[in-house]
Amino acid sequence: MRILVVDDDAQIIRAMRINLRARGYDVDTAFDGAGALQAAAKSPPDLVLLDLGLPDMEGGDVIEGLRGWTQVPIIVLSARHSASEKVRSLDQGADDYVTKPFGMDELLARIRAAQRRSVHVEEAPVVATGAFTVDLGAKRVERDGREVRLTPTEWHILEILARNAGRLVSQRRLLHDVWGPAYQSETNYLRVYMAQLRRKLEPDPAHPRYLITEAGMGYRFEKSG
């Protein structure tokens, strides 16, 4: 099992590397958010241990960046003890939250629990609605038994929403993951592409049942309309 440890404290990185390798885990490390996203893309981990206070970006942005394309378990390791920080991290897509300082035995138990929960549900990653199906593995959408042709941008948006079915995906996250970190307020891009997706996939595009807008917040993919 490969674990990616993300922390800007060199001593913590060193201690985690020694302890995890001693227990048979392969360990990759990153000292900032950009390095974490690059490392995960280059060599996808089986689990991520993530500090929130990184020098170049918030850990929450790293969580959202990862959630744009992977459901890898993410355990936050943070000195921030407030309930609001924990709730925010979990809402952004983290699977667990461990406050510093922590015991290695507790962390290892959390890792094992995350492993057990991370049953590979994406062996057959097909998300089906009453009107169309999204095959995430094959990058294919079918409606009424026929393939629907999507542009790369349409597919990227749909994939993020389908991988988070039932959950609100913020406008900011979609802009960041599809167009990049420089895009923060171009919500008109999302309106245009969501309209295109609805025309191609919704039975009644004017009254969408599966690609739902949460006004002022973001979008949600519903499998049952």
Side-chain angles (χ1 to χ4, degrees), residues 59-114:
D61 293 329
V62 178
I63 295 171
E64 292 184 348
L66 291 170
R67 284 291 172 257
W69 61 275
T70 178
Q71 292 301 308
V72 61
I74 300 172
I75 300 177
V76 169
L77 308 178
S78 177
R80 302 174 186 177
H81 290 242
S82 71
S84 62
E85 287 287 356
K86 296 178 183 180
V87 170
R88 183 179 300 112
S89 295
L90 294 170
D91 282 345
Q92 287 172 318
D95 296 273
D96 202 352
Y97 193 109
V98 180
T99 54
K100 297 178 180 178
F102 52 83
M104 200 64 201
D105 287 342
E106 177 192 358
L107 178 60
L108 290 167
R110 303 279 190 125
I111 290 172
R112 291 192 296 270

Side-chain angles (χ1 to χ4, degrees), residues 4 34-45 66 69-70:
L4 173 60
L37 294 172
Q38 290 169 5
K42 181 178 179 182
S43 182
L66 291 170
W69 61 275
T70 178

Side-chain angles (χ1 to χ4, degrees), residues 198-199 201-213 225:
R198 286 169 177 149
R199 282 196 296 270
L201 301 177
E202 290 278 1
D204 182 357
H207 300 90
R209 297 163 55 190
Y210 306 104
L211 302 172
I212 309 299
T213 298

